[in-house]
Amino acid sequence: MTRDKKVLSLAKRLVEMSREGGIVTEAGVSEVLAGIKKIKPRRELLLLKTYLYFIRKAVAEQTAVVATPGALGKDTLAAIETQFSALYGRTIHAVIEENPSLIAGVRIRIGDDVYDASVAGRLKRLAESVR
Amino acid sequence: MKKILWSFAAFTLLSGGLFGADPAASASGGPISEIAGQFGVNGHTLIVQMLNFGLVGAALYFLAVKPVAKTLDERQQKIADGLQYAEEMKTQLAEAERERAEKIKEAAQEAQRILTEAREQSKEMIEKKTQEAAAQAEAILRKASEATELERQKMLSDVRQEVARLVVATTSTVLTTELSDADKKTFSDAAARELAGSVN
């Protein structure tokens, strides 16, 4: 992560340009990358690394990674997207990540926030509460 | 000694008075002259003899008696001085003895006072040390009790953690093996809906 203010500012503007309807889309990112390749700005590599960092952060913030040991119903995923979109005030897209160690239940990660409703998590909290 | 000499001189003078003072009386035939004549005393001879005797006595007095008397006086003075010195020494000795006794008495009193103070100090020190030892013993007991309590709490905590770990491990194993995929899906859907519903 660079400390160059110009690079940071330009990367953030490029991330905003990558959004379509407030959501970072593949098409938007491709369009921005094509523009960078065409313009060839100064410190291109540093700019690309910074842009990648902010894109990953933006994607993580708009994606609800739902970890679960098995499959979930579509209604469940839709409910998650609806509720968390309402909570964060932006469109949240849910994706499933299989994790058998959870035993049962779900663990949802949105950006740096984690919501745990898994059996493994509950058991862990139970064990920690005994200390 | 002087008395002897003065007695001799007086006798001589009296003798001169008796036998030489009045030759006329002797010639006139007084009773005294008669007696002197009977004894063969001649007045002129007696006077000369008296003078001779006086001269010899004076010579003896000034040449022998007086130095001897002086020597005797000096010796007497020395003896008196010695006796006085001895008396003074005796007095001084008595004074020294009295002072020594007084100093011994004072020393004994001082020693007694020091001994008393030492006893009091030792008694205070013993009491102080006893109190300190009691306080230290109490502190050691308190620390030991606290350490025992801490150890007991730690053991209880360890036991709780171990029990919880065993319970969690056993439960995880049992749930993993016993829950079917349908059960897991049902539980996961319910948990997800509950979670989604609780965030708003």
Side-chain angles (χ1 to χ4, degrees):
Chain A
M1 186 65 180
T2 180
R3 292 183 178 178
D4 191 328
K5 291 183 178 178
K6 289 183 178 178
V7 173
L8 287 171
S9 176
L10 180 57
K12 287 179 181 178
R13 283 173 54 192
L14 292 174
V15 170
E16 294 302 320
M17 290 169 63
S18 303
R19 295 181 190 274
E20 290 179 4
I23 300 172
V24 176
T25 61
E26 188 175 349
V29 172
S30 298
E31 190 176 342
V32 169
L33 289 176
I36 292 173
K37 189 174 181 181
K38 185 178 178 181
I39 296 172
K40 289 189 181 301
R42 290 175 59 192
R43 307 180 74 178
E44 182 181 1
L45 183 59
L46 182 60
L47 177 63
L48 287 172
K49 285 183 178 178
T50 309
Y51 175 66
L52 177 62
Y53 172 79
F54 284 120
I55 281 294
R56 280 178 175 168
K57 189 176 178 184
V59 169
E61 287 175 349
Q62 70 184 25
T63 304
V65 180
V66 182
T68 179
L72 285 177
K74 289 184 178 179
D75 296 340
T76 305
L77 280 181
I80 290 172
E81 289 177 348
T82 303
Q83 296 295 339
F84 281 99
S85 295
L87 176 65
Y88 284 93
R90 61 176 180 263
T91 304
I92 300 293
H93 177 64
V95 294
I96 292 180
E97 179 185 82
E98 191 170 346
N99 186 352
S101 67
L102 296 179
I103 303 173
V106 293
R107 179 184 293 159
I108 302 171
R109 188 179 70 250
I110 302 172
D112 295 330
D113 299 333
V114 176
Y115 303 90
D116 189 14
S118 66
V119 172
R122 290 179 181 179
L123 289 173
K124 184 181 177 184
R125 288 193 290 276
L126 175 65
E128 288 175 350
S129 69
V130 174
R131 292 178 185 175
Chain B
M1 192 66 185
K2 284 183 177 179
K3 291 178 180 178
I4 296 170
L5 289 173
W6 283 113
S7 300
F8 180 74
F11 175 74
T12 303
L13 291 174
L14 287 174
S15 298
L18 287 174
F19 302 106
D22 193 5
S26 176
S28 65
I32 295 173
S33 298
E34 289 179 359
I35 294 170
Q38 289 177 357
F39 281 93
V41 176
N42 190 347
H44 296 284
T45 304
L46 182 62
I47 291 169
V48 172
Q49 287 177 344
M50 288 175 62
L51 287 172
N52 189 24
F53 185 81
L55 288 172
V56 172
L60 281 174
Y61 175 75
F62 285 108
L63 295 176
V65 174
K66 194 171 183 180
V68 171
K70 185 180 179 184
T71 304
L72 287 175
D73 288 341
E74 288 176 356
R75 183 165 293 179
Q76 190 71 21
Q77 186 64 35
K78 284 184 179 179
I79 290 169
D81 291 343
L83 288 174
Q84 186 179 359
Y85 180 73
E87 192 66 27
E88 289 176 357
M89 287 299 106
K90 189 176 178 183
T91 305
Q92 289 182 1
L93 181 64
E95 183 70 19
E97 186 71 20
R98 189 184 60 77
E99 288 180 358
R100 186 182 67 84
E102 191 172 342
K103 287 192 180 297
I104 288 173
K105 186 179 178 183
E106 290 177 356
Q109 290 176 349
E110 183 70 14
Q112 187 65 30
R113 187 182 61 77
I114 292 171
L115 188 62
T116 305
E117 287 182 359
R119 281 176 181 165
E120 290 177 354
Q121 288 179 355
S122 65
K123 189 177 179 182
E124 290 177 358
M125 187 173 289
I126 288 170
E127 289 179 357
K128 187 178 177 183
K129 291 295 179 186
T130 303
Q131 291 177 354
E132 288 179 358
Q136 287 181 354
E138 189 177 352
I140 289 170
L141 285 173
R142 188 172 64 252
K143 285 183 180 177
S145 176
E146 290 175 356
T148 304
E149 181 61 23
L150 285 174
E151 187 69 20
R152 192 178 71 85
Q153 294 290 344
K154 187 175 181 303
M155 287 177 64
L156 283 174
S157 176
D158 291 344
V159 168
R160 283 198 202 101
Q161 290 180 23
E162 187 62 20
V163 169
R165 189 188 66 78
L166 288 172
V167 168
V168 168
T170 305
T171 307
S172 299
T173 304
V174 169
L175 289 175
T176 303
T177 56
E178 294 296 325
L179 283 178
S180 64
D181 291 341
D183 293 335
K184 290 179 182 178
K185 184 176 183 303
T186 304
F187 184 86
S188 298
D189 284 335
R193 289 179 183 281
E194 182 182 345
L195 187 62
S198 65
V199 296
N200 284 328

